[in-house]
């Protein structure tokens, strides 16, 4: 068996089941004891309470996720294995993302691609790479090289300035690892051109998980008055225009995001009304003014980053849903989203539907969607399914 000389992490009885199902994480409170000298960022063997092998992964005492498993088989963790997983991740995207008018996708989605803590997004000719787990840091160059050889980008940017890195005990920095970064990165999504801020934007610069949902909104927008709240750089708003909306308003609290909405409307020769405001306040004010819209999209940032905040998060989702429903006439469409994996799908759906009950209105669930397929869900790892996209029509 490989790695017989690694330190051994013993998992408490009862926690082995999720590991057998393929879950890649061991939390600190799931560890009974550790045998041998462990070093943060180095490999350990994980065994159950009987001493049966459960997997091999990286140890980090500073992280709540103390062990991130790389394999559930007794195979050696080598540079070749990591490079092969990068290639497999890129091949999967070629397999599923053959979409006309779209030159951007997520290439590596962390644990779901069996590369814990690694994110890589392709924005046209630029790849943005993030390494958010200490154990993977030493493979940064291997991952970058494999991405460059698979994808042949003009530029690969290492965007390691996420706060998660500090929690893992790593430094924050940004660095170009290949080619040079263009002045402006303009991508194509469903035929719409978007200027993306890969250096200063949120996460890697843009949320590629909504591409399919952006396209889906178009069919509801012919001659419609559309409101896009938490718009970020205008993904839903611009697709609403493309779908034939007569008037589109996009709202975001970030001034730089609103500037990008304006820039993106200009890039596509489209007309979008932009508002820089707190969406909660804006929605309340619109209700007071008795405004009406045919389609409202709500795509807020995660209201809960922890399971403990669930009640607060539910209040947040319900409040914005109530405001939106008050402005939608019969036949109006609401598309509302949650991007927090701490918010279970059934809880999210019931929270939004309870808003309709409070207003004594009947609604039809058109569909329940999730993140785009370049953000695949790994069986046994429910955290990889995080985006819930609920589409409703008001019946009365």
């Amino acid at each position: 068996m490989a790695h017989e000389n690694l330190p051994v992490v013993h998992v408490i009885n009862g926690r082995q089941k999720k590991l057998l199902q393929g879950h890649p994480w061991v939390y600190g409170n799931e560890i009974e004891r550790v045998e041998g000298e462990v070093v943060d960022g180095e490999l350990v063997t994980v065994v159950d309470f009987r001493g049966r092998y459960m997997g091999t992964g990286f140890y980090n005492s500073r992280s709540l996720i103390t062990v991130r498993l790389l394999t559930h088989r007794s195979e050696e963790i080598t540079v070749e294995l990591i490079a092969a997983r990068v290639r497999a991740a890129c091949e999967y995207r070629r397999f599923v993302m053959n979409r006309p008018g779209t030159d951007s996708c997520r290439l590596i989605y962390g644990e779901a691609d069996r590369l814990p803590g690694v994110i890589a997004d392709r924005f046209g000719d630029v790849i943005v790479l993030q390494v958010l787990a200490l154990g993977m840091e030493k493979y940064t160059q291997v991952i970058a090289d494999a991405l460059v050889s698979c994808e042949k980008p003009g530029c690969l940017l290492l965007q390691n300035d996420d706060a998660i890195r500090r929690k893992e005990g790593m430094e924050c920095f940004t660095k170009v690892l290949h080619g040079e970064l263009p002045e402006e990165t303009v991508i194509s999504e469903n035929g719409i051109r978007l200027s993306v801020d890969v250096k200063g934007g949120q996460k890697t610069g843009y949320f590629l998980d909504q591409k399919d949902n952006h396209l889906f909104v178009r069919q509801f927008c012919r001659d419609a008055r559309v409101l896009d709240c938490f718009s970020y750089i205008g993904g839903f708003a611009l697709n609403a225009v493309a779908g034939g909306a007569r008037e589109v308003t996009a709202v975001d609290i970030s001034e730089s995001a609103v500037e990008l909405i304006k820039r993106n409307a200009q890039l596509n020769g489209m007309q979008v009304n932009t508002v820089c405001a707190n969406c909660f306040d804006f929605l309340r004010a619109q209700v007071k003014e008795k405004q009406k819209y045919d389609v409202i999209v709500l795509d807020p940032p995660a209201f809960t980053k922890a399971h403990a905040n669930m009640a607060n998060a539910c209040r947040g989702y319900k409040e914005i849903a109530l405001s939106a429903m008050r402005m939608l006439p019969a036949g109006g469409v609401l598309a509302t989203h949650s991007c927090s994996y701490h918010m279970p799908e059934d809880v999210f759906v019931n929270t939004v539907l309870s808003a309709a009950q409070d207003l004594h209105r009947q609604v039809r669930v058109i569909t329940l969607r999730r993140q785009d397929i370049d953000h695949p869900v790994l069986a046994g790892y429910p955290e990889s399914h995080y985006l819930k996209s609920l589409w409703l029509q008001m019946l009365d």
Side-chain angles (χ1 to χ4, degrees):
M1 177 172 153
H3 296 313
E4 53 272 355
N5 51 356
L6 291 177
V8 180
V9 170
H10 294 257
V11 176
I12 59 178
N13 188 6
R15 299 301 167 95
Q16 66 275 11
K17 187 172 170 229
K18 70 165 196 173
L19 299 176
L20 283 167
Q21 289 168 343
H23 203 286
W25 292 346
V26 180
Y27 288 103
N29 63 2
E30 296 175 325
I31 294 171
E32 190 191 344
R33 67 180 199 281
V34 182
E35 273 178 73
E37 284 295 308
V38 282
V39 179
D40 284 351
E42 296 299 322
L43 289 167
V44 293
T45 297
V46 175
V47 298
D48 71 1
F49 70 105
R50 289 197 190 97
R52 281 185 309 187
Y53 177 80
M54 292 274 107
T56 305
F58 293 116
Y59 187 88
N60 188 357
S61 62
R62 299 195 211 192
S63 175
L64 279 175
I65 303 162
T66 307
V67 184
R68 292 173 189 263
L69 291 180
L70 274 161
T71 183
H72 291 75
R73 299 195 181 100
S74 54
E75 59 189 330
E76 201 157 349
I77 307 303
T78 60
V79 164
E80 290 73 31
L81 178 83
I82 301 294
R85 289 193 178 171
V86 173
R87 286 194 296 275
C90 293
E91 272 157 29
Y92 167 71
R93 275 60 182 192
R94 270 186 213 114
F95 177 54
V96 297
M97 292 307 295
N98 182 13
R99 289 197 197 157
T102 300
D103 63 6
S104 301
C105 70
R106 173 148 293 184
L107 292 170
I108 300 175
Y109 175 38
E111 280 77 351
D113 284 302
R114 299 186 305 163
L115 291 162
V118 179
I119 301 292
D121 283 340
R122 172 152 207 160
F123 297 114
D125 205 29
V126 177
I127 292 177
V128 179
L129 171 64
Q130 288 187 318
V131 181
L132 306 173
L134 180 62
M136 293 304 282
E137 182 107 282
K138 58 173 153 309
Y139 294 108
T140 299
Q141 198 58 51
V142 174
I143 295 164
D145 291 347
L147 281 169
V148 169
S149 84
C150 283
E151 295 290 313
K152 319 262 185 296
C155 172
L156 189 141
L157 175 70
L158 183 62
Q159 176 66 289
N160 274 348
D161 64 353
D162 196 293
I164 295 170
R165 283 177 59 89
R166 284 204 190 91
K167 289 184 187 158
E168 287 268 319
M170 299 189 281
E171 281 173 42
C172 288
F173 64 95
T174 301
K175 182 179 172 190
V176 173
L177 291 184
H178 167 83
E180 67 186 76
L181 194 61
E183 279 293 294
E184 183 180 36
T185 304
V186 177
I187 66 168
S188 201
E189 184 195 283
N190 306 319
I192 287 177
R193 299 179 72 215
L194 293 164
S195 176
V196 173
D197 182 2
V198 294
K199 254 194 136 150
Q202 294 175 34
K203 303 289 183 191
T204 58
Y206 180 56
F207 301 99
L208 292 164
D209 51 6
Q210 288 280 28
K211 295 183 300 300
D212 214 26
N213 294 328
H214 286 157
L215 189 60
F216 192 71
V217 82
R218 292 187 192 183
Q219 64 201 305
F220 304 110
C221 294
R222 176 141 313 282
D223 298 325
R225 185 173 192 226
V226 181
L227 175 61
D228 176 16
C229 285
F230 312 94
S231 182
Y232 192 36
I233 68 170
F236 280 109
L238 296 165
N239 277 277
V241 178
R246 67 182 157 86
E247 186 196 335
V248 178
T249 302
V251 190
D252 200 278
I253 196 166
S254 152
E255 281 177 25
S256 57
V258 171
E259 286 310 307
L260 275 171
I261 300 169
K262 291 177 183 166
R263 169 77 183 128
N264 290 330
Q266 177 202 354
L267 275 173
N268 295 283
M270 290 177 174
Q271 182 60 46
V272 175
N273 306 324
T274 55
V275 180
C276 187
N278 174 316
C279 288
F280 281 85
D281 299 341
F282 179 83
L283 283 163
R284 275 186 224 115
Q286 293 280 289
V287 169
K288 263 206 182 100
E289 289 171 27
K290 300 202 165 25
Q291 292 288 340
K292 293 284 176 223
Y293 294 92
D294 304 296
V295 178
I296 298 178
V297 179
L298 305 172
D299 186 16
F303 287 154
T304 174
K305 293 265 202 283
H307 198 70
N309 301 342
M310 192 104 117
N312 275 344
C314 287
R315 276 196 290 280
Y317 290 120
K318 184 164 180 175
E319 184 190 325
I320 57 177
L322 277 165
S323 291
M325 288 175 184
R326 287 188 168 110
M327 294 190 280
L328 287 165
V333 171
L334 171 62
T336 184
H337 300 84
S338 167
C339 62
S340 169
Y341 77 80
H342 293 290
M343 173 59 64
E345 197 166 66
D346 57 334
V347 176
F348 176 63
V349 171
N350 290 333
T351 298
V352 176
L353 295 181
S354 74
Q357 286 157 16
D358 286 7
L359 297 172
H360 305 294
R361 294 187 70 179
Q362 284 207 297
V363 293
R364 164 190 285 146
V365 176
I366 301 171
T367 187
L368 182 55
R369 297 164 67 85
R370 48 167 61 167
Q371 65 233 36
D372 207 342
I373 53 178
D374 52 348
H375 294 61
V377 175
L378 181 70
Y381 174 50
E383 290 86 347
S384 53
H385 168 217
Y386 64 96
L387 183 70
K388 278 74 66 177
S389 177
L390 177 63
W391 298 67
L392 303 174
Q393 187 184 35
M394 311 307 292
L395 287 182
D396 55 19

